[in-house]
Amino acid sequence: MPSAMKMSKSSASLRLGKVPEDALRRYVLKFVGKRRRDVLLPPRYGEDAGVVETSSNRIVVAVDPITGARELIGWLSVHINANDVAVCGAEPRWFSSCILLPKNASINDLKVITKQIHNAAKTLGIAVVTGHTEVAPYTTSPIVIGQMIGVLAMRKIITTSGARPGDYILMTKTAGIEGTAILANDLEERLRKMGVPNSVIKDAKNYYRFISVVKEALWLTKHAAVSSMHDPTEGGIIGGLYELSRASGCGFKVWRESIPVSKTTAVICRAFNVDPLKLISSGVLLATVKKAERNILSKIGAKIIGKVTEKRNERLLIDKTRTVSIDEPVTDELWRILQ
Amino acid sequence: MPSAMKMSKSSASLRLGKVPEDALRRYVLKFVGKRRRDVLLPPRYGEDAGVVETSSNRIVVAVDPITGARELIGWLSVHINANDVAVCGAEPRWFSSCILLPKNASINDLKVITKQIHNAAKTLGIAVVTGHTEVAPYTTSPIVIGQMIGVLAMRKIITTSGARPGDYILMTKTAGIEGTAILANDLEERLRKMGVPNSVIKDAKNYYRFISVVKEALWLTKHAAVSSMHDPTEGGIIGGLYELSRASGCGFKVWRESIPVSKTTAVICRAFNVDPLKLISSGVLLATVKKAERNILSKIGAKIIGKVTEKRNERLLIDKTRTVSIDEPVTDELWRILQ
């Protein structure tokens, strides 16, 4: 895990507009992730584009912003976008960043972000190929918009919409991973006041370490008859299942009990009276497969949580005592708590 | 020119977070520019990535945000990014958008932006392939971050750094195009109070129509021995020349008189006591060529404004009465006026 960002006021503050050349050279153009040979034109002063050489003629593109005063904003922007590319069945390779800083930002704030991008990209074997950095009017907190390009691992494109009736629904890790980290980082004091033990808060704050699904998504792509994959963000596991259903035109039956929730997440969620299944869950891989062979499940640590059904409006979350129908998009629990 | 954006309060306002499915389907997923056959996975509900098929194995990527309460924010985001790709010698093909709206935004605000993106993309033969739309905390005005992927028109990559001593420096159109439009749109009332005629203001407001350099950049790439191209944004023509010099390690001698400034730009600049050569100039193409044949110049309406020289720190702007040395990066006049 990279060093977190604290908005410091000690170092020189930046002026509105493009970041000056010197700062660009020292704090942006040096932090470009893995130096890949297929990058023909890397980020350079005065160049407004990057050029890469693809080994495949099918490329996958994803764009996602990280907003909010998150301490790991640069690091997350690489991982979140890498996830979106990987769940398409593609290996993420080339990242572009757009860093927007608020008026009072310092050079140090910029450096923290670019170093995080650098480290996350290196971990995943990704090169930063171009970008834009500016102190922007109309932003009151840093925003990093990441864009990732990848190349299909096999020839097939895996989509959210590919789920078919009869498929098993798998998930990896535990529900609400990202939300657990956000709540613990942003509302640490409140949790402490509510009597949540320090050890739990500390563990929860580090849940960002589980955020990548690249490895498991690529493994499934290569080794299993996977019909769809999805990275459940806003709305959590249930939101992700809803999107999967709407995109594929199929229904689902999922058993609440079969969805793993970690002890740490359970404690944090109980404190805020939050449903962990409706809590933002980047880091979890949702996938549908024709056959759920035991070796596949164990290889990526996946659990079967339900099945895809034929009726497009049948979206059932089955509990011990009752069955809930998911009839509308799920509003993330996070918005309710943070507002 | 597309319809401009007025932040309306009449239509329903959007909630924080992802835009709801219905609005997404009606106002985002329908406006995807040109329907290109090489888009294998276009923007769809529930899919977080797009997939395209390239005809070349060298692809060019550019990322640029449009910040500020600009009325043509969606339209500009396509053109500005298309320019960055085209000056690399590549044909822009696939666009991704990240639309960040402030808390009070309405569905209508979103629609205006996506329609602008759609129209600009269609004009240039570009498809929108993926994107992200959210009402984001920490933004007080809409921001559109565009990302463009293109394919080299010839095999060669044209960079800002490619300029060589002895090359002629060309520019198209007139200095300060984008800045003229911004000043006239954002400070219309002030201009009127200063006695600038309505006809001039009206003409200046429409200067955005000159913003694209895609045609001329691709024409030069295919037909001339062009050694570098650059799209001068912040800092205007002089800022662009400074960047070209820093990137290439060469100097330049440029004659102020040879740089065309339109009457409209001259009037607007005089009102604010602004140097049109230091005013943001998207829409102008700066290029360096070994030979400046007359047919090349006339074909793209270019003028020779100076020459590339050997000494890396020789950056001279030559006037009738004096010679000015450009020793530091140029701060755009716009920032001074708008602040």
Side-chain angles (χ1 to χ4, degrees), chain B residues 157-291:
Chain B
I157 302 165
I158 298 166
T159 61
T160 310
S161 66
R164 288 294 163 263
D167 288 351
Y168 292 94
I169 304 174
L170 309 181
M171 73 169 266
T172 62
K173 299 179 194 144
T174 56
I177 286 178
E178 189 183 0
T180 302
I182 295 173
L183 289 173
N185 279 286
D186 290 11
L187 305 175
E188 187 171 352
E189 271 318 300
R190 265 174 74 185
L191 283 167
R192 203 159 276 143
K193 277 181 194 155
M194 288 189 283
V196 174
N198 270 334
S199 58
V200 173
I201 297 175
K202 202 179 154 195
D203 186 44
K205 284 176 76 175
N206 281 318
Y207 260 41
Y208 283 124
R209 69 185 183 277
F210 302 124
I211 215 91
S212 182
V213 300
V214 171
K215 260 193 195 162
E216 45 272 44
L218 291 178
W219 196 90
L220 269 185
T221 302
K222 289 175 189 163
H223 300 102
V226 61
S227 55
S228 79
M229 293 197 286
H230 194 60
D231 172 28
T233 55
E234 276 183 49
I237 303 296
I238 301 182
L241 289 166
Y242 179 88
E243 288 179 349
L244 194 138
S245 156
R246 293 288 301 162
S248 66
C250 298
F252 62 79
K253 279 183 191 169
V254 160
W255 293 270
R256 185 178 268 273
E257 260 181 90
S258 65
I259 298 176
V261 178
S262 76
K263 273 186 193 165
T264 295
T265 296
V267 172
I268 301 285
C269 284
R270 216 175 300 131
F272 289 118
N273 195 23
V274 150
D275 183 350
L277 306 199
K278 292 184 180 172
L279 185 60
I280 186 165
S281 286
S282 290
V284 168
L285 177 66
L286 277 178
T288 56
V289 291
K290 284 215 170 71
K291 289 180 199 170

Side-chain angles (χ1 to χ4, degrees), chain B residues 52-108:
Chain B
V52 301
E53 194 150 34
T54 70
S55 56
S56 156
N57 67 340
R58 291 179 161 198
I59 59 168
V60 179
V61 194
V63 172
D64 249 337
I66 308 292
T67 52
R70 308 256 204 107
E71 291 189 344
L72 294 169
I73 183 167
W75 190 81
L76 282 168
S77 77
V78 174
H79 282 295
I80 296 299
N81 282 288
N83 283 354
D84 282 343
V85 163
V87 298
C88 228
E91 187 195 297
R93 287 194 188 164
W94 306 295
F95 183 72
S96 311
S97 67
C98 176
I99 303 172
L100 303 178
L101 298 167
K103 237 177 166 178
N104 60 338
S106 71
I107 283 184
N108 191 55

Side-chain angles (χ1 to χ4, degrees), chain A residues 190 269 272-275 331-339:
Chain A
R190 264 174 73 185
C269 284
F272 290 117
N273 194 23
V274 150
D275 183 351
T331 302
D332 204 280
E333 294 280 69
L334 200 62
W335 296 121
R336 187 165 62 78
I337 303 301
L338 295 183
Q339 256 169 350

Side-chain angles (χ1 to χ4, degrees), chain A residues 27-311:
Chain A
Y27 306 119
V28 180
L29 301 176
K30 275 205 304 195
F31 300 124
V32 295
K34 185 177 156 87
R35 296 199 183 263
R36 294 181 64 101
R37 279 195 198 163
D38 50 21
V39 178
L40 306 179
L41 178 63
R44 273 195 204 139
Y45 177 78
E47 308 292 353
D48 293 321
V51 184
V52 301
E53 193 149 36
T54 70
S55 57
S56 156
N57 66 340
R58 292 178 161 199
I59 60 167
V60 179
V61 194
V63 172
D64 248 337
I66 308 292
T67 52
R70 307 252 205 108
E71 290 189 345
L72 293 170
I73 184 167
W75 190 82
L76 282 169
S77 76
V78 174
H79 281 295
I80 297 298
N81 282 287
N83 284 354
D84 282 344
V85 164
V87 297
C88 228
E91 188 195 296
R93 287 193 187 165
W94 306 295
F95 183 72
S96 311
S97 67
C98 176
I99 304 172
L100 302 179
L101 298 167
K103 238 175 164 179
N104 59 340
S106 71
I107 284 185
N108 191 55
D109 300 328
L110 174 61
K111 195 173 85 178
V112 171
I113 293 173
T114 52
K115 271 194 158 172
Q116 288 178 4
I117 290 174
H118 180 64
N119 289 331
K122 263 175 82 172
T123 310
L124 295 172
I126 289 163
V128 179
V129 296
T130 189
H132 179 96
T133 309
E134 84 172 46
V135 178
Y138 311 106
T139 58
T140 55
S141 174
I143 302 179
V144 178
I145 301 92
Q147 185 270 339
M148 189 72 77
I149 301 178
V151 165
L152 289 179
M154 313 297 276
R155 215 178 137 73
K156 78 177 162 177
I157 302 165
I158 298 166
T159 61
T160 309
S161 66
R164 287 295 162 264
D167 288 351
Y168 292 94
I169 304 173
L170 308 182
M171 73 169 266
T172 61
K173 298 178 193 143
T174 56
I177 285 178
E178 189 183 0
T180 302
I182 294 172
L183 289 172
N185 279 285
D186 290 10
L187 305 174
E188 188 172 352
E189 272 318 299
R190 264 174 73 185
L191 283 167
R192 204 159 275 141
K193 276 182 195 154
M194 288 189 282
V196 174
N198 271 334
S199 58
V200 173
I201 298 174
K202 203 180 153 195
D203 186 44
K205 284 177 76 175
N206 281 317
Y207 261 40
Y208 284 125
R209 70 184 182 277
F210 301 124
I211 215 92
S212 182
V213 300
V214 171
K215 258 193 197 164
E216 45 272 43
L218 290 178
W219 195 91
L220 268 186
T221 302
K222 288 175 190 164
H223 300 100
V226 62
S227 54
S228 79
M229 292 198 286
H230 194 60
D231 173 29
T233 54
E234 276 183 50
I237 302 297
I238 301 181
L241 288 167
Y242 180 87
E243 288 179 349
L244 194 138
S245 157
R246 292 288 301 162
S248 66
C250 298
F252 62 79
K253 279 182 189 170
V254 159
W255 293 271
R256 184 178 268 274
E257 259 181 275
S258 64
I259 298 175
V261 178
S262 77
K263 271 187 192 163
T264 295
T265 296
V267 172
I268 301 286
C269 284
R270 215 176 300 131
F272 290 117
N273 194 23
V274 150
D275 183 351
L277 307 199
K278 292 184 180 171
L279 186 60
I280 186 165
S281 286
S282 290
V284 168
L285 177 65
L286 276 179
T288 57
V289 291
K290 283 215 171 73
K291 288 181 198 168
E293 289 147 15
R294 192 165 292 176
N295 65 328
I296 289 178
L297 298 182
S298 70
K299 187 77 192 181
I300 58 166
K303 301 267 183 308
I304 298 174
I305 62 167
K307 288 203 83 170
V308 179
T309 62
E310 205 153 347
K311 289 185 217 149

